[in-house]
Amino acid sequence: MSLFVREMPCRELVELVTAYFDGSLSRRDSRRFEAHIRGCEHCTTYVEQMRETIEATGRLTEEDIAPEARDEMLAVFRGWSGGRGSA
Ligand SMILES: [Zn+2]
């Protein structure tokens, strides 16, 4: 737990992933994003999937994110009742 940096929830990370890859995320949010990935294997997997999509298509847009993939992630997040999810 950090007193100085507000933790980025998984849900926010999913929303920001396109901005992260196209470089439009603020420096502060990029730091929070990367800090979150380091401690969250679910989001690491998600981000890796996005990276593979970018490598396959050359760029990432909202349309490139399979709705099923996002729904799957959000379902996982909903399954977390606090605990490690906010750690
Ligand atoms: Zn996460």
Side-chain angles (χ1 to χ4, degrees), residues 41-76:
E41 67 179 280
H42 298 278
C43 288
T44 299
T45 301
Y46 185 73
V47 169
E48 284 307 310
Q49 286 172 354
M50 292 304 114
R51 196 188 303 278
E52 285 170 15
T53 300
I54 292 168
E55 285 171 0
T57 66
R59 61 167 291 137
L60 181 70
T61 66
E62 290 290 335
E63 293 80 47
D64 289 327
I65 301 178
E68 312 85 61
R70 175 174 288 204
D71 287 349
E72 195 174 305
M73 285 299 292
L74 293 177
V76 169

Side-chain angles (χ1 to χ4, degrees), residues 1-9 27-36 38 86-87:
M1 168 175 166
S2 168
L3 296 175
F4 304 106
V5 180
R6 187 180 295 276
E7 292 285 343
M8 176 178 289
R27 186 182 299 262
R28 180 170 169 276
D29 280 344
S30 291
R31 256 206 323 265
R32 292 167 67 222
F33 190 102
E34 286 163 2
H36 183 106
R38 276 199 296 274
S86 60

Side-chain angles (χ1 to χ4, degrees), residues 9-10 13 36 40 42-43 77 80:
C10 292
L13 186 143
H36 183 106
C40 182
H42 298 278
C43 288
F77 300 154
W80 300 343

